[in-house]
């Protein structure tokens, strides 16, 4: 047995992961062809989805790109999908990929301003409940006018900055000394309990902010990638999209913020940890030193970053270009006017996003399997057989469940195209199509907070360099999201079933939205 374990090939295979994890991945790869031969592609497709979710759940053991990529490559070779189908999915997701490549890198060059603002906020507001509500509300507002992935990148940058500051001190280093904050071998015993409490504090703060991005992202057509697609299919502009969602989104926002406050009050589900006094003192000292040594050039760099933030907000709000291209413009503007012209300094900005971008492309290979094998088609057809409010509520729930186990962008794409096709064929009236579009948007954005793979922003947080530092695992995210999932999903369901139809009629009467003349040809269902 020892000879087998010491085999160089096995030692190299997915690195220093536990032996049981390596055995599980090998078992998956061996079992899939057998399952395909015995039970067919549909059953094996569902097994593949479960296996991929397993790799996401074990993200702290091994980054999911390698094991998930092996499963995706095998699926292509087994004929469960094709390279052309994978490429088709990637083509459709190009705006998301551009966003990850350039927007996240753009935020990197604004992190000094963001760290400055949020450090002031954290140090000025001592009440943990108030800080949590501010982070959640800030996440919601920013996501409504920017997008959830961009806001999550901001939150990660802030959390990493806070963590690095105290970890340096806990390791006996000066604030200005170079230090690797990714390991604890130099952390003094006296600081370990404070460091653990600080990790718990950051976990809670980041989860509140991440949920906030979902609360705000559902409200506008720029909040999430699938929102833009839904707006295109329904011909809704920015204002109409907002008002169409209001009967569901505003009550859910209120309940989400109330849940945030209750979690901090009760200290349940891993929330409630406060900022240790010694950490606050060190952050205050860091803030004082930064203020003292800030030169005129540094202050001008902050002004440049603030102006870039204004440009970013305006450009995204009015959708002046694809989100990723706007992010590229932020990179150009900030680096040009801050004097960052060295290739290696610019390259650091892409280190955080590109591994996740590669993982997302692998994920779209799994999505291609789902699409090719039509795993979700029976659910869609069953729901279309229902009538009235029950149909709308069923669409909300079906989208929520499927988004939680796969990906909300993919689920929304499939559903809105199927519903648009049903409307084009005259199977449903235009007003019902609009109601179903609201259900699809809210269903893919609200219940999908249940799991990290449900929302790209959550998955980005889970697979970030910060997650292992603060011990934020897949299951811990699921547990911490559970109270939000329950309260927000049930509130959304109640609003969709009881309030959406009468509230929409009131909005028609007030002239805030209009009945659409059915002259627009809806696109055919996706490949």
């Amino acid at each position: 047995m020892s000879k087998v374990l010491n085999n160089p090939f096995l030692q190299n295979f997915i690195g220093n992961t536990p032996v049981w994890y390596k055995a599980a991945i090998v078992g998956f790869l061996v079992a899939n062809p057998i399952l395909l031969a015995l039970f067919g592609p549909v059953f094996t497709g569902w097994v593949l989805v479960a296996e991929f979710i397993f790799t996401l759940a074990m993200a702290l053991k091994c980054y999911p790109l390698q094991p998930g990529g092996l499963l995706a490559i095998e699926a292509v070779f087994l004929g469960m999908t094709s390279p052309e189908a994978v490429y088709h999915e990637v083509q459709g997701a190009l705006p998301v990929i551009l966003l990850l490549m350039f927007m996240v890198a753009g935020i990197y060059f604004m992190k000094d301003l963001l760290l400055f603002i949020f450090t002031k906020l954290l140090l000025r507001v001592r009440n943990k409940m108030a800080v949590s509500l501010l982070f959640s509300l800030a996440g919601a507002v920013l996501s409504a006018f920017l997008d959830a992935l961009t806001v999550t990148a901001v939150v990660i940058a802030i959390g990493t900055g806070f963590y690095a500051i105290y970890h340096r001190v806990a390791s006996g280093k000066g604030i200005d000394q170079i230090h690797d904050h990714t390991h604890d071998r130099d952390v003094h015993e006296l600081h370990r309990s404070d460091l653990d409490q600080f990790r718990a504090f950051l976990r809670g703060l980041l989860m509140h902010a991440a949920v906030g991005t979902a609360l705000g992202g559902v409200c506008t057509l720029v909040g999430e990638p699938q929102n833009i697609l839904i707006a295109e299919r329904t011909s809704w502009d920015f204002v109409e999209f907002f008002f169409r969602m209001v009967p569901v989104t505003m009550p859910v926002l209120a309940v989400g913020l109330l849940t945030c406050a209750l979690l901090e009050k009760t200290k349940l589900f891993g929330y409630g940890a406060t900022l240790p006094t010694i950490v606050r003192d060190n952050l205050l000292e860091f803030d004082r030193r930064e203020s003292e040594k800030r030169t005129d050039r540094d202050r001008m760099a902050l002004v440049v970053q603030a102006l870039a933030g204004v440009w970013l907000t305006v450009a995204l709000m009015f959708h002046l270009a694809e989100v990723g291209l706007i992010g590229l413009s932020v990179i150009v503007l900030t680096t040009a006017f801050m004097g960052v012209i060295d290739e290696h300094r610019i390259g650091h900005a892409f280190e955080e996003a590109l591994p996740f971008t590669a993982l997302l492309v692998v994920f779209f290979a799994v999505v291609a399997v789902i699409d090719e094998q039509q795993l979700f088609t029976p659910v869609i057809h069953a729901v279309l057989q229902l009538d009235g409010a029950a149909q709308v509520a069923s669409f909300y729930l079906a989208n929520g469940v499927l988004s939680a186990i796969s990906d909300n962008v993919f689920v929304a794409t499939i559903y809105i195209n199927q519903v648009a096709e049903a409307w084009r064929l005259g199977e449903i009236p235009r007003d019902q199509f609009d109601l179903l579009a609201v259900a699809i948007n809210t269903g893919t954005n609200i219940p999908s907070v249940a799991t990290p793979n449900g929302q790209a922003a959550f998955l980005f947080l889970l697979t970030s360099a910060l997650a292992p530092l603060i011990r934020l695992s897949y299951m811990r995210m699921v547990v911490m999201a559970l109270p939000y999932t329950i309260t927000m999903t049930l509130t959304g369901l109640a609003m969709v079933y009881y309030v959406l139809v009468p509230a929409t009629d009131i909005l028609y009467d007030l002239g805030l939205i209009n009945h659409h003349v059915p002259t627009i040809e809806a696109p055919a269902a996706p490949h």
Side-chain angles (χ1 to χ4, degrees):
M1 182 66 177
S2 60
K3 288 184 178 180
V4 174
L5 295 178
N6 291 327
N7 183 288
F9 177 80
L10 291 178
Q11 287 180 329
N12 285 339
F13 179 66
I14 54 178
N16 296 321
T17 55
V19 174
W20 65 264
Y21 185 85
K22 295 183 180 186
I25 299 303
V26 171
F28 294 160
L29 294 171
V30 171
N32 288 341
I34 299 172
L35 293 174
L36 181 62
L38 294 176
F39 302 104
V42 174
F43 177 83
T44 310
W46 281 110
V47 171
L48 178 69
V49 171
E51 291 169 348
F52 190 77
I53 291 174
F54 170 83
T55 67
L56 297 177
M58 296 291 110
L60 297 187
K61 299 293 183 185
C62 176
Y63 192 71
L65 175 63
Q66 290 76 25
L70 290 172
L71 292 170
I73 291 170
E74 182 185 54
V76 173
F77 273 102
L78 291 176
M80 297 176 68
T81 187
S82 65
E84 293 77 17
V86 176
Y87 183 67
H88 174 77
E89 297 294 344
V90 172
Q91 274 185 312
L94 184 60
V96 182
I97 293 171
L98 288 176
L99 182 149
L100 283 170
M101 290 176 63
F102 297 129
M103 184 62 77
V104 175
I107 295 301
Y108 177 88
F109 293 108
M110 296 173 60
K111 68 178 184 179
D112 290 338
L113 174 66
L114 297 167
L115 188 58
F116 172 81
I117 293 172
F118 280 87
T119 299
K120 297 291 185 185
L121 177 65
L122 187 66
L123 298 179
R124 297 295 182 271
V125 182
R126 289 181 172 270
N127 184 281
K128 175 62 189 305
M129 184 185 296
V131 170
S132 299
L133 286 169
L134 282 172
F135 266 70
S136 184
L137 190 59
V141 173
L142 289 172
S143 293
F145 292 99
L146 305 180
D147 67 89
L149 274 174
T150 302
V151 177
T152 304
V154 171
V155 172
I156 290 171
I158 294 162
T160 303
F162 288 160
Y163 183 84
I165 292 167
Y166 180 66
H167 197 279
R168 183 184 292 113
V169 175
S171 300
K173 304 291 194 302
I175 286 180
D176 295 323
Q177 286 184 268
I178 296 174
H179 172 65
D180 181 7
H181 59 265
T182 61
H183 63 78
D184 291 349
R185 61 174 174 265
D186 295 329
V187 174
H188 296 176
E189 288 299 323
L190 291 174
H191 291 291
R192 286 193 179 273
S193 61
D194 288 323
L195 183 60
D196 288 338
Q197 184 178 341
F198 186 38
R199 283 171 172 148
F201 172 83
L202 286 178
R203 284 196 301 269
L205 212 57
L206 287 170
M207 284 302 294
H208 288 315
V211 172
T213 65
L215 291 170
V218 67
C219 294
T220 65
L221 62 82
V222 298
E224 291 278 357
Q226 70 268 27
N227 298 17
I228 298 174
L229 176 67
I230 291 170
E232 289 176 351
R233 296 293 185 268
T234 54
S235 301
W236 296 341
D237 60 19
F238 189 93
V239 174
E240 181 174 5
F241 189 101
F242 173 79
F243 281 114
R244 289 273 183 184
M245 301 301 153
V246 160
V248 182
T249 55
M250 290 302 106
V252 170
L253 174 62
V255 169
L257 294 176
L258 179 60
T259 303
C260 172
L262 289 175
L263 287 171
E264 289 300 322
K265 181 72 174 177
T266 59
K267 302 184 187 299
L268 296 174
F269 296 94
Y271 293 98
T274 55
L275 182 65
T277 303
I278 189 172
V279 178
R280 180 182 293 277
D281 292 342
N282 279 285
L283 291 176
L284 282 168
E285 176 64 15
F286 171 80
D287 185 52
R288 185 186 66 79
R289 290 194 182 193
E290 287 295 302
S291 298
E292 288 178 354
K293 71 179 186 181
R294 194 168 287 124
T295 65
D296 289 340
R297 286 190 65 180
D298 294 331
R299 281 187 279 272
M300 181 54 63
L302 292 178
V303 172
V304 168
Q305 292 173 40
L307 292 174
V310 173
W311 156 248
L312 177 65
T313 303
V314 172
L316 286 172
M317 186 184 302
F318 294 100
H319 199 56
L320 300 181
E322 280 294 342
V323 177
L325 298 181
I326 295 170
L328 180 58
S329 73
V330 170
I331 295 174
V332 173
L333 292 171
T334 52
T335 54
F337 290 99
M338 292 194 303
V340 180
I341 57 174
D342 182 69
E343 180 183 356
H344 295 289
R345 286 185 65 189
I346 296 171
H348 286 305
F350 294 88
E351 291 176 355
E352 180 74 27
L354 284 184
F356 181 73
T357 306
L359 174 61
L360 194 66
V361 173
V362 168
F363 186 79
F364 282 120
V366 178
V367 167
V369 173
I370 294 172
D371 196 4
E372 289 270 310
Q373 304 306 325
Q374 298 184 336
L375 300 185
F376 293 171
T377 301
V379 180
I380 296 172
H381 287 164
V383 173
L384 277 175
Q385 301 306 311
L386 301 174
D387 296 314
Q391 186 185 70
V392 178
S394 296
F395 260 84
Y396 170 85
L397 285 176
N399 276 267
V401 172
L402 294 175
S403 294
I405 64 175
S406 59
D407 168 68
N408 58 359
V409 178
F410 168 72
V411 174
T413 302
I414 295 296
Y415 266 82
I416 194 63
N417 279 293
Q418 292 281 348
V419 173
E421 181 69 6
W423 165 60
R424 188 183 69 83
L425 296 174
E427 296 174 5
I428 56 174
R430 173 62 206 227
D431 285 353
Q432 184 70 6
F433 170 51
D434 288 333
L435 293 172
L436 292 178
V438 174
I440 292 169
N441 185 66
T442 53
T444 53
N445 278 296
I446 296 171
S448 57
V449 302
T451 63
N453 46 287
Q455 292 217 2
F458 278 45
L459 186 59
F460 186 43
L461 175 58
L462 174 68
T463 56
S464 70
L466 179 61
L469 300 180
I470 61 174
R471 310 300 188 259
L472 186 61
S473 65
Y474 185 100
M475 287 310 301
R476 180 166 269 167
M477 284 188 75
V478 170
V479 170
M480 295 183 77
L482 181 61
Y484 279 113
T485 303
I486 294 171
T487 58
M488 290 163 53
T489 300
L490 291 179
T491 302
L493 178 62
M495 295 302 105
V496 166
Y497 191 81
Y498 294 108
V499 177
L500 179 59
V501 174
T504 301
D505 290 337
I506 293 173
L507 292 171
Y508 281 131
D509 294 339
L510 293 174
L512 296 174
I513 60 176
N514 299 302
H515 295 280
H516 285 263
V517 179
T519 56
I520 301 171
E521 279 284 314
H527 172 74

